[in-house]
Amino acid sequence: MTLRGLINSIDSELYSDNPLYQKLRMTKPEYGASRHIQVTIVRGDIVVTGCHVGSLGDILTYPIDIAPELNISKVQLLDAILHELSSNGFTDEEQAEFWDDFDNLQKAKIIR
């Protein structure tokens, strides 16, 4: 399953007040790459990697690889990915500025 597939499989009412979720729902998937989002558990914490390279449209197309020993629901999985993508600690305004800039393909190429 891709991140886009996960987002579409969850009741959007659960995330009606989450601006990042709303932004991801409105973003058009792009070509993507051979990258994957990896989800595993380390010392009891869910660890998400591989979701910071590429534009939002690219990231939506990345398949999600979940460690076999990790037994979590789709909601818990989406929560962990949103938490990783949101870089907690930013204000709402800082997050909005970041995601507005993240859609800028020129800046995405610089990040890569």
Side-chain angles (χ1 to χ4, degrees):
M1 161 178 19
T2 64
L3 179 55
R4 180 67 163 187
L6 176 63
I7 288 170
N8 288 335
S9 71
I10 304 276
D11 180 11
S12 61
E13 290 295 316
L14 294 172
Y15 295 93
S16 61
D17 62 343
N18 186 311
L20 175 56
Y21 174 84
Q22 297 304 323
K23 179 74 171 175
L24 288 169
R25 277 197 59 91
M26 295 185 322
T27 300
K28 178 183 172 188
E30 295 175 10
Y31 296 107
S34 59
R35 301 188 187 282
H36 289 244
I37 296 172
Q38 295 87 30
V39 183
T40 188
I41 192 159
V42 176
R43 292 188 292 277
D45 295 324
I46 297 173
V47 176
V48 178
T49 58
C51 61
H52 289 291
V53 178
S55 69
L56 281 183
D58 289 341
I59 293 168
L60 284 171
T61 66
Y62 295 170
I64 301 169
D65 299 332
I66 303 169
E69 68 274 7
L70 189 58
N71 186 19
I72 60 174
S73 70
K74 287 183 177 183
V75 171
Q76 290 171 313
L77 176 60
L78 183 57
D79 286 346
I81 293 171
L82 291 175
H83 177 77
E84 180 62 30
L85 282 171
S86 70
S87 299
N88 276 351
F90 287 121
T91 65
D92 288 343
E93 183 177 321
E94 290 169 329
Q95 285 185 32
E97 288 174 10
F98 175 81
W99 290 114
D100 286 344
D101 283 346
F102 208 76
D103 280 343
N104 181 331
L105 293 178
Q106 184 63 34
K107 289 186 179 183
K109 288 178 183 177
I110 292 169
I111 292 171
R112 289 183 197 158

